[in-house]
Amino acid sequence: MRSSLRFLIPLALASLSIKSVAAHELGPHVHGVASLQVAVDGNILTLDFSGPLDNLLGFEHAPRDDKQKAAVKNMVETLHHTDGVFAPSPAANCTSVSVKLESSVLEAKLTSSNDGHADIDGEYVFRCGHPENLHGLELKLFDSFHNLHQVEAQVAGPHTQTAARLSPAQRNLSW
Ligand SMILES: [Zn+2]
């Protein structure tokens, strides 16, 4: 078990690409709260998700045992399975183009004794066959990540600028 996990985690991490954090407008690091920037540009939908790692993992230090290593791996797999994370308007026929995750826990920058805080950022890009039908997004990730209680969302598109506070009880963002 131990050796197979050691083998699998680098494989999962190898598929991640690193992106700049400069564009992220992180608010205060509040556990349970995350931000989501939604950009609609033609047939391309880009989602930038950002918040405390605790929201998705339950801890913010390097994994200390096999159980925590498995939790990291499970989080990465869950976040890459876009159908269970973000669901654009079905009629828009959007398909996932790329998922990029960035967190110090994924880059082995955290130490197991780290008692500070850490964040995770995810960039999701979709291409939509019928962008004229794209009017919203369901945040299905509330189903998988029960430490996540609130998402501050902002939407920027050619004809729309809106903001909304989403939660497990109000998981649909409309524009
Ligand atoms: Zn924290």
Side-chain angles (χ1 to χ4, degrees), residues 29-31 52-55 59-60 116-119:
H29 180 102
V30 179
H31 288 189
L53 188 58
D54 184 80
N55 294 347
F59 56 89
E60 297 186 336
H117 293 283
D119 293 309

Side-chain angles (χ1 to χ4, degrees), residues 19-46:
K19 73 191 191 76
S20 167
V21 293
H24 286 280
E25 299 163 10
L26 274 182
H29 180 102
V30 179
H31 288 189
V33 181
S35 69
L36 178 68
Q37 311 289 326
V38 179
V40 182
D41 184 9
N43 65 341
I44 299 296
L45 170 67
T46 304

Side-chain angles (χ1 to χ4, degrees), residues 73-95:
K73 177 173 174 285
N74 184 55
M75 175 189 73
V76 168
E77 287 181 351
T78 301
L79 289 172
H80 271 98
H81 196 257
T82 53
D83 288 351
V85 184
F86 297 111
S89 309
N93 194 24
C94 302
T95 54

